[in-house]
Coordinates of all heavy atoms in Angstrom, one line a residue:
Chain A
M1 N 13.4 -49.0 -41.7 CA 13.0 -48.0 -40.7 C 12.9 -46.6 -41.3 O 13.7 -46.3 -42.2 CB 14.0 -47.9 -39.5 CG 13.7 -49.1 -38.6 SD 14.8 -49.0 -37.2 CE 16.3 -49.6 -38.0
L2 N 12.0 -45.8 -40.9 CA 11.8 -44.5 -41.6 C 11.8 -43.4 -40.6 O 11.4 -43.6 -39.4 CB 10.5 -44.5 -42.3 CG 10.2 -45.5 -43.4 CD1 8.8 -45.3 -43.9 CD2 11.2 -45.3 -44.5
L87 N -0.3 -84.0 -32.2 CA -0.5 -85.0 -33.2 C 0.7 -85.9 -33.1 O 1.6 -85.8 -33.9 CB -0.6 -84.4 -34.6 CG -2.0 -84.4 -35.1 CD1 -2.2 -83.4 -36.2 CD2 -2.4 -85.8 -35.5
E107 N 9.3 -77.2 -21.6 CA 10.2 -76.0 -21.5 C 9.4 -74.7 -21.6 O 9.6 -73.7 -20.9 CB 11.2 -76.1 -22.6 CG 12.3 -75.0 -22.4 CD 13.5 -75.2 -23.3 OE1 13.4 -76.1 -24.1 OE2 14.5 -74.5 -23.1
Q135 N -14.0 -53.4 5.4 CA -14.2 -54.0 4.1 C -12.9 -54.2 3.4 O -12.6 -55.3 2.8 CB -15.1 -53.2 3.3 CG -15.1 -53.6 1.8 CD -16.5 -53.9 1.3 OE1 -17.5 -53.8 2.1 NE2 -16.7 -54.4 0.1
E137 N -10.0 -54.4 4.7 CA -9.2 -55.4 5.3 C -9.7 -56.8 4.9 O -8.9 -57.7 4.7 CB -9.2 -55.2 6.8 CG -8.3 -56.1 7.6 CD -8.1 -55.6 9.0 OE1 -8.3 -54.4 9.3 OE2 -7.7 -56.5 9.8
E145 N -5.4 -64.9 0.6 CA -5.7 -66.3 0.5 C -5.7 -66.8 -0.9 O -5.3 -67.9 -1.2 CB -7.1 -66.5 1.2 CG -7.0 -66.4 2.7 CD -8.3 -66.8 3.4 OE1 -9.4 -66.4 2.8 OE2 -8.3 -67.4 4.5
S181 N 22.1 -75.1 -29.3 CA 21.2 -74.4 -28.4 C 19.9 -75.3 -28.4 O 19.4 -75.7 -29.5 CB 20.9 -73.0 -29.0 OG 20.5 -73.1 -30.3
L200 N 4.9 -63.8 -42.5 CA 5.9 -63.5 -43.4 C 6.1 -62.0 -43.6 O 7.1 -61.5 -44.2 CB 5.8 -64.2 -44.7 CG 5.9 -65.7 -44.6 CD1 5.6 -66.4 -46.0 CD2 7.2 -66.1 -44.1
Y207 N 10.8 -44.3 -36.8 CA 11.4 -43.5 -35.7 C 11.5 -42.0 -36.2 O 11.6 -41.8 -37.4 CB 12.7 -44.0 -35.3 CG 13.8 -43.8 -36.3 CD1 14.7 -42.7 -36.2 CD2 14.1 -44.8 -37.3 CE1 15.7 -42.6 -37.1 CE2 15.1 -44.6 -38.2 CZ 15.9 -43.5 -38.1 OH 16.9 -43.4 -39.0
G267 N 25.8 -55.7 -7.0 CA 26.0 -55.9 -8.4 C 27.5 -55.7 -8.7 O 27.8 -55.4 -9.9
Chain B
H64 N 16.6 -74.6 -34.7 CA 17.1 -74.4 -33.4 C 18.2 -73.4 -33.4 O 18.9 -73.2 -32.3 CB 17.7 -75.8 -32.8 CG 16.6 -76.6 -32.3 ND1 16.4 -76.9 -31.0 CD2 15.6 -77.3 -33.0 CE1 15.3 -77.7 -30.9 NE2 14.9 -78.0 -32.1
Y87 N 12.7 -84.0 -28.6 CA 12.4 -82.7 -28.0 C 11.0 -82.2 -28.4 O 10.3 -81.6 -27.6 CB 13.5 -81.7 -28.3 CG 13.3 -80.4 -27.8 CD1 13.5 -80.0 -26.5 CD2 12.8 -79.3 -28.6 CE1 13.3 -78.8 -26.0 CE2 12.5 -78.1 -28.2 CZ 12.8 -77.8 -26.8 OH 12.6 -76.5 -26.4
W115 N 5.7 -85.4 -40.3 CA 5.2 -85.0 -39.0 C 5.7 -83.6 -38.7 O 4.9 -82.7 -38.2 CB 5.6 -86.0 -37.9 CG 5.1 -85.7 -36.6 CD1 3.9 -86.0 -36.0 CD2 5.8 -85.0 -35.5 NE1 3.8 -85.6 -34.8 CE2 4.9 -84.9 -34.4 CE3 7.1 -84.3 -35.5 CZ2 5.3 -84.3 -33.2 CZ3 7.4 -83.7 -34.3 CH2 6.5 -83.7 -33.2
R131 N 14.6 -65.1 -44.8 CA 14.3 -64.0 -45.6 C 15.5 -63.3 -46.0 O 16.4 -63.1 -45.2 CB 13.4 -63.0 -44.9 CG 12.0 -63.5 -44.7 CD 11.2 -62.4 -44.1 NE 11.1 -61.4 -45.1 CZ 9.9 -61.0 -45.7 NH1 8.8 -61.6 -45.3 NH2 9.9 -60.0 -46.5
R176 N 31.2 -56.2 -17.4 CA 30.6 -54.8 -17.4 C 31.3 -54.0 -18.5 O 30.7 -53.2 -19.3 CB 30.8 -54.1 -16.1 CG 30.0 -54.7 -15.1 CD 29.8 -53.7 -13.9 NE 28.9 -54.4 -13.0 CZ 27.6 -54.5 -13.1 NH1 27.0 -53.8 -14.0 NH2 26.8 -55.2 -12.3
H197 N 20.1 -42.8 -43.5 CA 18.7 -42.6 -43.7 C 18.4 -41.1 -44.0 O 17.7 -40.8 -44.9 CB 17.9 -43.0 -42.5 CG 17.8 -44.4 -42.2 ND1 17.2 -45.0 -41.1 CD2 18.4 -45.5 -42.9 CE1 17.4 -46.3 -41.2 NE2 18.1 -46.6 -42.2
N208 N 6.7 -44.8 -49.6 CA 6.5 -45.1 -48.2 C 7.7 -45.2 -47.4 O 7.8 -44.8 -46.3 CB 5.7 -46.4 -48.1 CG 4.2 -46.2 -48.3 OD1 3.7 -45.1 -48.2 ND2 3.5 -47.3 -48.6
L209 N 8.7 -45.8 -48.1 CA 10.0 -46.0 -47.3 C 10.8 -44.7 -47.3 O 11.2 -44.2 -46.3 CB 10.8 -47.1 -48.0 CG 10.2 -48.5 -47.9 CD1 11.0 -49.4 -48.7 CD2 10.1 -48.9 -46.5
H211 N 13.7 -43.6 -47.9 CA 15.2 -43.5 -47.9 C 15.8 -44.9 -48.1 O 15.1 -45.9 -48.0 CB 15.7 -42.9 -46.6 CG 15.3 -43.7 -45.4 ND1 16.0 -44.9 -45.1 CD2 14.4 -43.6 -44.5 CE1 15.5 -45.4 -44.0 NE2 14.5 -44.6 -43.6
K322 N -5.6 -63.3 9.7 CA -6.8 -63.9 10.1 C -7.0 -63.7 11.6 O -8.2 -63.5 12.0 CB -6.7 -65.4 9.8 CG -7.4 -65.8 8.5 CD -7.5 -67.3 8.3 CE -8.4 -67.6 7.1 NZ -8.2 -69.0 6.7
K328 N -11.0 -58.5 15.6 CA -11.8 -57.3 15.3 C -13.3 -57.7 15.2 O -14.2 -57.0 15.7 CB -11.4 -56.7 14.0 CG -10.1 -55.8 14.1 CD -9.9 -54.9 12.9 CE -8.6 -54.2 13.0 NZ -8.1 -53.7 11.8
W365 N -19.7 -48.8 5.0 CA -18.4 -49.3 5.4 C -17.5 -48.2 6.0 O -16.5 -47.9 5.4 CB -17.7 -50.0 4.3 CG -18.5 -51.1 3.7 CD1 -19.1 -51.2 2.5 CD2 -18.8 -52.4 4.4 NE1 -19.8 -52.3 2.4 CE2 -19.6 -53.1 3.5 CE3 -18.5 -52.9 5.6 CZ2 -20.1 -54.3 3.8 CZ3 -19.0 -54.2 5.9 CH2 -19.8 -54.9 5.0

Side-chain angles (χ1 to χ4, degrees):
Chain A
M1 284 184 278
L2 300 179
L87 254 162
E107 187 165 10
Q135 167 124 2
E137 189 164 335
E145 286 184 324
S181 55
L200 294 178
Y207 68 96
Chain B
H64 284 250
Y87 175 80
W115 183 85
R131 290 185 65 115
R176 290 200 180 277
H197 292 176
N208 278 342
L209 295 174
H211 62 79
K322 262 190 171 160
K328 281 195 185 159
W365 303 109

